[in-house]
Amino acid sequence: MAHDVKSHSAPAPEVTAPGGNLDREIAGLDALELGGGTSRRVLQRVWSATWPMVSAILIAIAAWQIVVWSGWKEPWVLPGPADTLPVFKDQITSSRFWDAVALTMQRALVGFALAVAIGVLIGALVSQFRVLRRAFGSLITGLQTMPSIAWFPLAILLFQLSESAILFVVVLGAAPSIANGLIAGVDYTPPILLRAGKVMGLRGLNLYRHLIMPASLPSFVAGLKQGWAFAWRSLMAGELLVIIGDTTSLGVLLSQARELNNTADMISYMIVILIIGILIDQLFGFVDRSIRTRWGVDQD
């Protein structure tokens, strides 16, 4: 009797399908393989994006060293990488250098933000009204092709040696490219999309916001990228020409190195300006790739 109670109270053994453990193991191996494949693809993408840039840097340094070895200029006029790179390292570890970078980037971001606001407003108006297109279309292109250095005499007369003079030229250098990028994007919006939007009830601002702007985004991003290039060049020219009080920027450091005939320092600052430009270009490239991926036209 006790034996019967004990046998009835004992828990029933868990029944496992014959292939249950094997299925779980296979599923785990598949997940591990997929995870490893994803990591491998990420590493391959990072490597494919990195090695051309690293190769270009090494080729540039080698060409620079070959020019120095050729004896074309005296070493104090054109120092080699071995003399310049230690100076570059010392520069990027000083607080004065980073204060200069912070001021330059602040000017660049403020000027570019103003240029984007003005460029988008002008581009939206010109792209929607034919009268404005006929009146100002060629003028915008003309402003885009005008060298930024030509604006500084007028900027200094209008604003003296001030931040406003620099921002004035930065905005004039960048806004036309941004406006033209938006205009081109609107012009190449497929008519069938416009008809479909109107059939769905999109009119006026809603049509522009929900259909035209997304459709023109690739051209608009290209205009932003070009606008940044013009803004950055205009800013560097401005900081070389418009020195405000005791402020220190990358342009001021570059100008001081030139006045002191300190070529190693001057090249170091030029390298920093180049690196900042490359990093911003990579940021725009990331945005462009994201847009192409979303649109399904990325071939990677």
Side-chain angles (χ1 to χ4, degrees):
M1 188 70 176
H3 176 74
D4 294 339
V5 173
K6 184 176 181 181
S7 62
H8 286 296
S9 61
E14 182 179 358
V15 178
T16 305
N21 290 333
L22 181 60
D23 291 341
R24 283 196 296 270
E25 291 176 0
I26 293 175
L29 290 174
D30 289 342
L32 182 61
E33 183 178 356
L34 289 175
T38 302
S39 302
R40 194 179 303 112
R41 286 194 297 270
V42 170
L43 291 175
Q44 288 175 350
R45 286 190 176 186
V46 172
W47 173 245
S48 64
T50 302
W51 78 261
M53 190 178 302
V54 173
S55 300
I57 293 173
L58 294 177
I59 291 172
I61 293 176
W64 177 10
Q65 184 62 61
I66 291 173
V67 172
V68 173
W69 282 337
S70 69
W72 177 55
K73 293 292 181 181
E74 297 295 331
W76 62 270
V77 176
L78 182 63
D83 297 323
T84 303
L85 295 181
V87 175
F88 172 76
K89 180 180 178 181
D90 293 338
Q91 293 292 349
I92 63 176
T93 56
S94 65
S95 59
R96 183 169 182 261
F97 166 80
W98 288 109
D99 291 339
V101 172
L103 178 58
T104 296
M105 292 307 300
Q106 177 184 341
R107 289 170 173 172
L109 294 176
V110 171
F112 186 64
L114 290 174
V116 170
I118 295 173
V120 168
L121 178 61
I122 294 175
L125 292 174
V126 170
S127 63
Q128 291 301 301
F129 299 100
R130 292 184 179 180
V131 175
L132 294 178
R133 172 74 67 90
R134 293 172 182 172
F136 297 104
S138 298
L139 177 60
I140 294 173
T141 303
L143 290 175
Q144 181 180 353
T145 59
M146 189 169 180
S148 58
I149 195 72
W151 288 107
F152 276 102
L154 177 62
I156 294 173
L157 285 176
L158 293 175
F159 303 103
Q160 289 74 49
L161 297 177
S162 65
E163 296 285 345
S164 298
I166 297 177
L167 292 178
F168 175 77
V169 177
V170 170
V171 171
L172 282 176
S177 296
I178 297 170
N180 273 336
L182 181 56
I183 293 170
V186 173
D187 287 346
Y188 284 96
T189 301
I192 190 172
L193 289 180
L194 297 176
R195 290 195 294 268
K198 291 178 180 179
V199 168
M200 296 175 64
L202 294 177
R203 296 288 188 278
L205 184 60
N206 286 331
L207 178 66
Y208 207 88
R209 176 184 175 186
H210 296 291
L211 193 148
I212 295 177
M213 279 298 294
S216 62
L217 197 56
S219 294
F220 180 54
V221 170
L224 288 176
K225 184 176 180 180
Q226 189 178 45
W228 168 260
F230 280 106
W232 188 239
R233 290 192 296 178
S234 300
L235 177 60
M236 289 300 102
E239 289 188 345
L240 286 171
L241 294 175
V242 181
I243 299 177
I244 305 168
D246 58 350
T247 58
T248 302
S249 62
L250 283 176
V252 171
L253 294 178
L254 188 61
S255 179
Q256 290 175 351
R258 177 186 59 82
E259 292 173 356
L260 296 174
N261 291 327
N262 195 337
T263 312
D265 280 358
M266 186 171 62
I267 295 177
S268 298
Y269 298 133
M270 292 171 64
I271 292 174
V272 172
I273 293 170
L274 177 63
I275 290 174
I276 293 175
I278 292 174
L279 291 177
I280 300 297
D281 178 75
Q282 291 297 311
L283 177 60
F284 279 112
F286 172 77
V287 173
D288 180 64
R289 287 191 298 272
S290 300
I291 293 173
R292 288 190 286 111
T293 300
R294 184 173 181 179
W295 281 43
V297 296
D298 194 353
Q299 299 300 321
D300 292 339

